[in-house]
Amino acid sequence: MTTPASHRAARAPVRQAALLLGLVFLVVGVLGFIPGITTDYGSLEFASHESGAELFGLFQVSILHNLVHLAYGLAGLMLAGTASGAYSYLLVGGAVYLVLWVYGLSVGHDSDANFVPLNTADDWLHFVLGIAMIGLALALGRRRGARTDAR
């Protein structure tokens, strides 16, 4: 039986945000394996800067890149089960994306070290995702904590 308090916790905004982002990452991971949505699909490599495939003709992808999106999506769905898990997913996941942004800016796009692979569009998307995920964790985690403390 669901009590009003558990019903409110089930709808905690931080959990909803983690769930939504998890679903988005899952969809993006699947789309990366669909020819047409991923342009130059025939040049899709497992992990290499030489992978010429681009999701939506913009974001360079590889099989590894797509698998990482799928794993990130599954993690989001699993960690959205609790407010603390969702908060951690958003905060740590956002930090990882900011590290990826710095990595992408630091490594030459034609370098063997760019094994993910990443292009300029990926770099700036990672920056936006990192800031957004951390911002959601801090804003939604704080708001939930304030409501709980007010009782």
Side-chain angles (χ1 to χ4, degrees):
M1 181 170 161
T2 320
T3 65
S6 65
H7 192 263
R8 270 194 307 275
R11 293 182 291 136
V14 70
R15 291 181 62 198
Q16 290 178 343
L19 182 65
L20 177 64
L21 281 171
L23 289 171
V24 168
F25 282 118
L26 277 177
V27 169
V28 167
V30 169
L31 291 177
F33 289 112
I34 299 176
I37 295 173
T38 297
T39 59
D40 296 321
Y41 188 81
S43 66
L44 185 69
E45 299 278 333
F46 178 76
S48 168
H49 68 280
E50 295 175 0
S51 182
E54 292 182 330
L55 183 61
F56 306 122
L58 186 61
F59 303 103
Q60 189 176 13
V61 293
S62 66
I63 293 170
L64 175 64
H65 204 149
N66 293 334
L67 292 174
V68 168
H69 288 143
L70 290 170
Y72 238 73
L74 289 174
L77 296 182
M78 291 187 319
L79 291 169
T82 65
S84 63
Y87 177 83
S88 295
Y89 172 73
L90 294 170
L91 191 65
V92 173
V96 168
Y97 267 106
L98 289 179
V99 168
L100 246 157
W101 170 63
V102 170
Y103 175 78
L105 294 178
S106 304
V107 171
H109 292 154
D110 292 329
S111 166
D112 286 340
N114 185 18
F115 65 93
V116 174
L118 304 169
N119 63 12
T120 302
D122 288 309
D123 294 339
W124 291 103
L125 179 60
H126 292 157
F127 173 74
V128 170
L129 282 170
I131 295 298
M133 289 177 79
I134 290 170
L136 284 168
L138 296 177
L140 300 177
R142 237 186 274 139
R143 187 172 359 151
R144 184 185 187 305
R147 271 201 322 256
T148 303
D149 294 341
R151 285 188 201 153

